[in-house]
Structures are given as C-alpha cells and as structure tokens.
Amino acid sequence: MTLLVVIGMPDMLEGLTFAGRVTGFLFVFAGVVQGAAAPAVLDHWGKRRVRYSGATVLLGTLIALAAESLFMLLWLQEREYTPYLLAYFPLWLWSLWALWLLILEKTWMGIPHPKSFAAGITTTAIIASANLAYSSMYQPASQPLLISLEAKFGEPTVDPRTSFIEVPLTLRARNKGKVPAYIINDDYSVWGHVVELSDNSSGLKDTKKAMEEETDSARYARLPDYKTITAGRFVAPGSTLDPGAEYTAERLIHIPREANYNSLEIYFSLGLMRKDKGRINDWEFPYPHRSWDKREGRFYCPPRDCEESLIYHSKVRHNNNIVNVTRRPRYVTTWWSVTPEDSTTDSSISSFHFQRRKEADEEEREREMDRYGFRLFYAEAMTPFAALTQKRN
C-alpha cells in the first residue's frame, strides 16, 4: 500500500499532463485497495463474516503481482541499484506465493458475479497501461518541440569617438508548439572570416580539407580562417520556454574599421529539455559552480586537469515516477566556458554526480538525453563585411 501511494502521489498531484495525473491516481487508488485487502485477509482465513473478503484479497494480490511485475520489468532494462528494489522485489515474490495459495484454495469460487469481477480487473489494467503508454510514448511523439530561432545583424553605425564599426545583433527564440521546455544550455559566437582569394584557378581549392571538415570548396577562394569577434550567452540556463513565449536579446558588436574580414557569421544554439518528460530543481540548476574555485567542493577541478568552466548541475526527475523508482537518480549538467579563441558549451543527462571524476559512458548519456526529450536547435546568419563598411559610409 505504502509503495503504490508513494509512487503514485507525485504524478497525481504534480503531473504536467492529464494522462500522467490519471496514471498517478490509479496507483494511489490501487494502494487504497491494498489497504482494504490487508485486513480482509484476517477475515478470509478466519470466520469469513464479510462476504467479499475473499474477492478483496484476490484483487489485492492481483494488483500487487501486476504492479511489482511492472517494476521488475522496468528495473531489468537497466539493472541499477535503487533502494526501492528492496521493496518491490520481495513484494513480487510474496505476491507470487500469495496468488499460488489463493489458486489452491479456489478463492474465486466464492466471488459473486465472477465475470464482472474479471472484467473490472481487466478494464482497470487496460486503462492504466494505456495511460502509461500515452504519457511516455505517444504524447511526446505526437507533440514535438517546435522552436523558432533567429539570429540577424542590424544596421551598422560608426562611433565617431573611436572610429569603430558598431553592428547590432538580434537573437530571438520562440516556442511555436504546445510543449513547454527548459533551457539547458545556450551559446552564441560571432566570427570574422578571412578568405584568400585568387583570380586564377584550375579547379576547386582545398578539396581534401573541405571533405574532412564537411564544408564547401570554392574555385576562387581557399577555406577561410575563423577569428572569434564576440561570444556569450543568450539567457540563463534553467529558464523555461513555455508555449507562445518568446525571448529576445540585443547585443552590440565593435569591430575596427581597418579589419580585413571578408564576412561575418553568427552561430546561435539553444539546448532544450521537454518539461513534460522531466523536471529539474529550479532552486539549484540556474546557479553555476566555478570549476576553478576550491570552495566549490566536488565541482572543483584543477585548471591543469580541466578547462575552466561554469557548471550548472541539478537532479532531474522523470515525469513518470515509475521510471524514477526503477533507476538510479539522474542529473542534468551543463558546462560553459570561454577561451581567448572561442566559447563552448556541452550538456549531459546521466547518473554522473561529480562524486567520482569518471563520467557516464556515451551510450548512457545518449539514451538518457533521448528519454528526457533533449533537443539542440541552432540558427546561423552571415553578412559580407564590405556591405557593412559601405553602409557606414
């Protein structure tokens, strides 16, 4: 009874989807039935004064066997230790033993309207299975994340005090779908391209390098050198992007008028996790830890061993609480760093908790990021640098 209520209560009270709340309610209701079945055992093996005590005991045993079998099946997928295993594994063995005793006694023989009893159990099982499948598989597939990203350069001006070109930059993200999402990571970089041009050419240049980098090869230009002009964040990790919501950020880029860039390019990325698949701690994830600061405890990593980064870290709970009780805890982590050459960001959802420096393997990381609905979106824009200099004149 306690196990089913503890598992069902979070989904019933805090589930973000109707199907999830229904599933939680069914588990809590099953726990209530267990509470009624426990004292019914005393009557059924005693004087049997209550007419339906045998039916109640049989129903409670069937619920226990079905629930614990579900937990065991999900646990066998990962085979990770969780304290809940100490509850549902013995209960699974107990329910098998209890059902065997009831079969030997032919408890169903004393049940009035046995066909209605069987139909009720079957209907309840179908409803629970359908809601579980809907909330975990169908709904995420039928309602994908629909995110629109935009990055564009504005009209340049010249600061007469410094003769620097000032180029406005607009970054915009909008949730055009029906699924709310957490912003797990975000990053933007503006690069200047320096291209070596040539009037004479007998073919495409730098073809091997172009294939290695999976980029374009041109007849009259070699592959460009990239120089980072500016890099930074869009919004803070841990923010939410609800359906219909939009974030806009304005930046101003300063470039010397003597710069020899051929073009400017912006790369804008946003990593999102579906809120209908998981929940992170709002009081923990938005606050970064400095990897180079010894006061950060387990997040500290000597600069000689690790790149200096801001670390965003929090426990993540699956919105289907059955997943939480059949797995080790999962954590979402984002690293963001800025170097003299560029900025980088990376995210992970796994069992890695900084207790040991060994990170989770790539297979676990990819599996968990897919399970929690993590998706990476990006936008790019490019403009000729000559066009900017002409506009300023």
Side-chain angles (χ1 to χ4, degrees):
M1 178 188 70
T2 302
L3 180 65
L4 292 178
V5 171
V6 167
I7 292 175
M9 193 66 72
D11 288 344
M12 185 181 75
L13 298 180
E14 302 176 357
L16 293 178
T17 64
F18 177 74
R21 288 178 179 265
V22 170
T23 302
F25 170 79
L26 290 174
F27 272 91
V28 173
F29 179 74
V32 173
V33 174
Q34 294 289 300
V41 172
L42 300 178
D43 179 77
H44 182 68
W45 263 273
K47 297 182 179 180
R48 301 191 180 184
R49 294 176 179 177
V50 180
R51 183 180 180 184
Y52 299 107
S53 61
T56 305
V57 172
L58 180 59
L59 177 60
T61 303
L62 290 174
I63 289 176
L65 179 60
E68 312 312 325
S69 296
L70 174 62
F71 301 150
M72 288 300 301
L73 180 63
L74 293 176
W75 177 82
L76 287 171
Q77 293 180 356
E78 307 290 342
R79 295 188 295 277
E80 299 176 347
Y81 172 76
T82 169
Y84 288 94
L85 180 63
L86 302 178
Y88 52 72
F89 181 65
L91 286 173
W92 179 67
L93 295 176
W94 167 85
S95 61
L96 288 172
W97 168 78
L99 183 61
W100 174 248
L101 290 182
L102 294 173
I103 291 175
L104 291 179
E105 192 177 302
K106 299 182 179 180
T107 305
W108 63 88
M109 300 296 292
I111 297 175
H113 312 294
K115 292 184 178 180
S116 300
F117 179 80
I121 294 178
T122 303
T123 302
T124 304
I126 292 175
I127 293 175
S129 301
N131 276 284
L132 182 61
Y134 178 81
S135 61
S136 61
M137 293 183 292
Y138 173 76
Q139 189 175 38
S142 63
Q143 295 184 354
L145 282 175
L146 297 177
I147 307 298
S148 173
L149 295 189
E150 181 184 12
K152 65 178 182 179
F153 295 102
E155 190 76 16
T157 59
V158 175
D159 186 345
R161 297 169 299 175
T162 62
S163 297
F164 269 64
I165 302 175
E166 297 179 340
V167 185
L169 174 65
T170 301
L171 306 173
R172 183 175 290 111
R174 177 180 174 82
N175 190 340
K176 300 172 65 176
K178 299 180 180 180
V179 180
Y182 288 109
I183 297 177
I184 302 301
N185 68 52
D186 66 288
D187 182 74
Y188 79 90
S189 296
V190 177
W191 299 303
H193 294 186
V194 179
V195 182
E196 181 183 340
L197 302 175
S198 175
D199 293 334
N200 300 318
S201 178
S202 58
L204 299 177
K205 291 181 170 59
D206 299 328
T207 54
K208 184 176 180 180
K209 185 178 180 181
M211 288 188 291
E212 292 175 347
E213 299 180 1
E214 298 184 10
T215 187
D216 301 332
S217 180
R219 179 178 292 271
Y220 300 106
R222 294 192 175 278
L223 293 183
D225 290 329
Y226 296 86
K227 296 184 179 179
T228 304
I229 298 175
T230 186
R233 310 301 298 267
F234 174 57
V235 293
S239 303
T240 59
L241 191 60
D242 295 322
E246 179 179 296
Y247 287 131
T248 301
E250 303 284 347
R251 300 289 188 269
L252 192 62
I253 307 169
H254 298 84
I255 307 174
R257 64 168 60 192
E258 297 82 9
N260 62 339
Y261 301 127
N262 296 86
S263 61
L264 299 182
E265 180 183 8
I266 177 173
Y267 179 84
F268 172 35
S269 66
L270 204 63
L272 301 175
M273 188 189 85
R274 299 174 64 111
K275 286 187 69 175
D276 63 345
K277 296 296 290 285
R279 180 177 300 149
I280 64 177
N281 295 330
D282 297 334
W283 49 266
E284 183 179 15
F285 188 70
Y287 304 100
H289 304 272
R290 299 180 295 273
S291 68
W292 62 89
D293 190 344
K294 294 182 178 180
R295 293 172 297 180
E296 294 288 357
R298 69 179 188 273
F299 297 101
Y300 170 71
C301 186
R304 66 177 180 274
D305 299 330
C306 306
E307 187 175 62
E308 295 182 349
S309 306
L310 290 180
I311 301 172
Y312 301 82
H313 183 74
S314 168
K315 186 176 182 179
V316 57
R317 292 179 57 85
H318 199 280
N319 273 350
N320 188 334
N321 202 34
I322 300 175
V323 175
N324 297 321
V325 300
T326 55
R327 307 283 191 275
R328 287 199 305 260
R330 294 300 191 259
Y331 302 89
V332 56
T333 308
T334 289
W335 295 265
W336 184 70
S337 64
V338 179
T339 67
E341 300 300 326
D342 202 358
S343 68
T344 58
T345 185
D346 189 26
S347 294
S348 170
I349 301 177
S350 67
S351 57
F352 178 62
H353 190 37
F354 290 89
Q355 298 293 350
R356 297 181 298 273
R357 276 295 154 188
K358 183 180 179 181
E359 297 186 20
D361 58 67
E362 190 63 24
E363 181 181 356
E364 177 190 343
R365 176 177 169 177
E366 292 180 359
R367 181 181 65 248
E368 296 303 321
M369 295 185 79
D370 182 68
R371 174 176 290 158
Y372 286 90
F374 179 87
R375 295 293 182 269
L376 182 64
F377 299 85
Y378 65 91
E380 296 176 291
M382 183 178 292
T383 184
F385 189 67
L388 300 179
T389 57
Q390 290 174 3
K391 289 180 180 179
R392 70 178 176 82
N393 293 328

